[in-house]
Amino acid sequence: MQDIELIEGCAHNNRDSQKAFYDRYCSVVMGMCVRYSGSEKEAEGMALYVFGKLFDEISKCPLDGDIKKWIEEKVIWNAIQYLHKDKHRYFIAKTTLYAENKPVYTKNISDVTLPDDVSKKLYLSSLQALTPSYRILYNLTYIDDIAPAQIIDNLQIAEETYKTELDEARYQFKKHLTIRLNEQNL
């Protein structure tokens, strides 16, 4: 079944089309949700939420454009929306983890060069160790390559906040990755 037929079937709530759509795009959605979540278990819940939103909005999918790109964009912003629903953990974790983690690592992180062969598992575990807000900014900026203006607009944050938080997200990511690399080399 072609993507266009699949999308049209989903728009008409055809269960076979929805299952085929899920089967075709499950790995894409789950892969992205794993990056935005703090764990595999959270990613599963997030993916179910995202698929629900995709099916709700499937009739808006541009059939003459890049369907996969539309899906990826929807996954990104719905994954963030999923994280924002748990505001207590989202905001509290950021402030407490920042205060707890900052003094742990004193080496100037900009002096650290990371090897090119860092495994996906190591990279992902370092990404998932970030607080939700840092993980969101890191993913949007460095992995999904979303323009800063779009991030600032969609997240409704000030430009200075974006820059400051992104610097800290990058620092925290490199810190976690460096620690994990050092642990492997012991």
Side-chain angles (χ1 to χ4, degrees):
M1 190 179 285
Q2 296 293 322
D3 277 343
I4 293 174
E5 296 169 317
L6 204 57
I7 300 294
E8 289 172 347
C10 289
H12 290 96
N13 292 320
N14 179 294
R15 294 291 175 208
D16 291 334
S17 295
Q18 289 174 335
K19 182 175 179 351
F21 180 86
Y22 176 85
D23 291 343
R24 184 171 298 171
Y25 291 106
C26 182
S27 62
V28 171
V29 171
M30 188 63 178
M32 293 178 76
C33 287
V34 165
R35 285 194 290 112
Y36 278 90
S37 69
S39 68
E40 190 85 24
K41 181 132 179 94
E42 183 182 33
E44 290 171 4
M46 184 184 287
L48 289 175
Y49 173 83
V50 166
F51 268 109
K53 292 295 190 176
L54 283 172
F55 288 134
D56 287 346
E57 300 175 31
I58 201 86
S59 62
K60 298 175 186 170
C61 181
L63 299 177
D64 58 346
D66 187 348
I67 292 171
K68 188 176 178 193
K69 184 176 173 70
W70 180 86
I71 291 169
E72 289 173 348
E73 185 175 309
K74 292 297 177 186
V75 171
I76 290 168
W77 298 112
N78 284 304
I80 292 170
Q81 186 179 42
Y82 178 87
L83 289 171
H84 278 206
K85 286 181 173 243
D86 189 0
K87 291 197 184 293
H88 176 73
R89 186 178 59 103
Y90 180 76
F91 291 111
I92 301 300
K94 178 182 170 208
T95 55
T96 57
L97 287 176
Y98 175 80
E100 291 169 6
N101 285 337
K102 190 67 171 181
V104 171
Y105 190 76
T106 56
K107 186 174 181 181
N108 185 352
I109 199 73
S110 60
D111 294 339
V112 176
T113 52
L114 300 172
D116 291 334
D117 63 343
V118 174
S119 75
K120 281 185 178 181
K121 186 176 180 181
L122 197 61
Y123 190 89
L124 185 59
S125 69
S126 300
L127 187 60
Q128 288 179 330
L130 296 175
T131 61
S133 59
Y134 292 158
R135 197 168 46 245
I136 288 169
L137 287 179
Y138 193 90
N139 271 298
L140 289 172
T141 304
Y142 296 116
I143 299 173
D144 295 320
D145 201 27
I146 307 288
Q150 185 179 1
I151 296 169
I152 290 166
D153 186 48
N154 285 350
L155 296 181
Q156 299 178 347
I157 57 176
E159 185 175 351
E160 266 315 300
T161 302
Y162 167 75
K163 289 177 182 177
T164 304
E165 296 287 297
L166 184 60
D167 284 345
E168 186 59 32
R170 190 176 68 218
Y171 168 84
Q172 291 291 329
F173 175 75
K174 284 186 176 181
K175 178 187 81 170
H176 288 294
L177 189 56
T178 303
I179 289 169
R180 283 168 175 72
L181 283 169
N182 290 335
E183 288 170 352
Q184 273 192 342
N185 294 329
L186 291 179

